[in-house]
């Protein structure tokens, strides 16, 4: 017994609802993946100068907003913002940035399955091997093209807080959600 031919949907008679859905689906497909950027700067003075300038700019902006019409407060806020921008430009110039992008869910799941926990790690509830997975994830999520060997070198050669920040930049972007369940 032969199967009947499948009916073809006429393209020209798409309903407004179908057209709206197609446009929505197109926008959903084109969403950019979440990214994290890790700043690496060894100049503590520049980092402190920026932090102080950022705090001064926030305080000056607060005073200006609390005193509408006060030209001195407005000018001080503008000056503080300018000083903050200059401090940020100097910090940026002295920094290296590492960028990490969220992986598609199946890619992340495959990467995790390629690095299963050891028996002791699994007994402690781990879902991946803490010795091999971090470098693999850092490399896979790197937008800059970092290799696994380079990721291992940084994770093993940097201080614990810096290595943790590198790991966090790659891992946290995998956990970031940009959708929300709304009411109504």
């Amino acid at each position: 017994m032969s199967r009947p031919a499948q009916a073809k949907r006429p393209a020209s008679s798409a309903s407004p609802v179908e057209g709206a859905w197609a446009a929505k689906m197109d926008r959903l497909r084109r969403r950019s993946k979440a990214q994290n950027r890790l700043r690496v700067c060894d100049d503590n003075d520049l980092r402190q100068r920026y932090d102080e300038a950022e705090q001064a700019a926030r305080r000056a902006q607060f005073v200006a907003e609390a005193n509408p019409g006060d030209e001195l407060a407005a000018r001080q806020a503008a000056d503080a913002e300018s000083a903050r921008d200059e401090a940020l430009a100097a910090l940026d110039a002295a920094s290296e940035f590492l960028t990490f992008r969220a992986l598609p869910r199946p890619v992340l799941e495959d990467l995790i399955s390629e690095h299963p926990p050891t028996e002791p790690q699994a007994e402690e509830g781990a879902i991946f091997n803490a010795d091999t997975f971090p470098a693999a994830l850092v490399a896979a999520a790197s937008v800059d093209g970092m290799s696994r060997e380079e990721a291992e070198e940084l994770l093993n050669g940097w201080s614990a807080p810096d290595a943790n920040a590198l790991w966090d930049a790659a891992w946290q972007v995998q956990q970031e959600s940009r959708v929300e369940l709304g009411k109504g």
Side-chain angles (χ1 to χ4, degrees), residues 10-11 27 43 67-68 81 83 89 94-95 102 113 158-159 168-169 171:
R27 287 189 305 274
D43 191 329
N67 299 292
E81 185 177 322
S95 299
S113 71
W158 283 2
S159 67
D168 284 344
W171 179 247

Side-chain angles (χ1 to χ4, degrees), residues 57 72 109 122 167:
L72 177 60
E109 289 174 356
W167 157 251

Side-chain angles (χ1 to χ4, degrees), residues 27-44:
R27 287 189 305 274
L28 292 171
R29 285 184 180 115
R30 288 184 289 131
R31 288 180 67 212
S32 63
K33 300 222 178 348
Q35 290 191 158
N36 266 352
R37 214 169 79 143
L38 179 67
R39 174 190 301 274
V40 180
C41 181
D42 291 328
D43 191 329
N44 290 329

Side-chain angles (χ1 to χ4, degrees), residues 20-170:
W21 172 250
K24 184 181 288 191
M25 191 63 195
D26 184 53
R27 287 189 305 274
L28 292 171
R29 285 184 180 115
R30 288 184 289 131
R31 288 180 67 212
S32 63
K33 300 222 178 348
Q35 290 191 158
N36 266 352
R37 214 169 79 143
L38 179 67
R39 174 190 301 274
V40 180
C41 181
D42 291 328
D43 191 329
N44 290 329
D45 291 337
L46 283 176
R47 288 191 310 210
Q48 185 173 350
R49 190 177 325 149
Y50 171 72
D51 289 342
E52 290 169 358
E54 173 68 21
Q55 290 173 9
R58 273 193 244 134
R59 284 191 302 270
Q61 185 63 35
F62 177 78
V63 170
E65 288 174 358
N67 299 292
D70 184 337
E71 291 181 29
L72 177 60
R75 190 169 51 251
Q76 288 173 334
D79 290 347
E81 185 177 322
S82 179
R84 182 205 56 217
D85 293 346
E86 289 175 19
L88 179 58
L91 181 61
D92 284 350
S95 299
E96 292 294 334
F97 294 93
L98 300 174
T99 305
F100 300 96
R101 182 175 296 139
L103 301 172
R105 184 186 51 77
V107 173
L108 179 60
E109 289 174 356
D110 286 347
L111 191 62
I112 290 170
S113 71
E114 291 169 11
H115 299 273
T118 62
E119 281 188 38
Q121 290 170 342
E123 288 172 6
E124 293 177 6
I127 62 167
F128 53 75
N129 185 320
D131 298 322
T132 63
F133 180 70
L137 177 66
V138 167
S142 172
V143 172
D144 305 303
M146 186 184 305
S147 71
R148 180 179 167 157
E149 292 76 22
E150 291 165 330
E152 285 177 358
E153 178 183 341
L154 297 179
L155 288 168
N156 293 329
W158 283 2
S159 67
D162 289 349
N164 287 339
L166 177 61
W167 157 251
D168 284 344

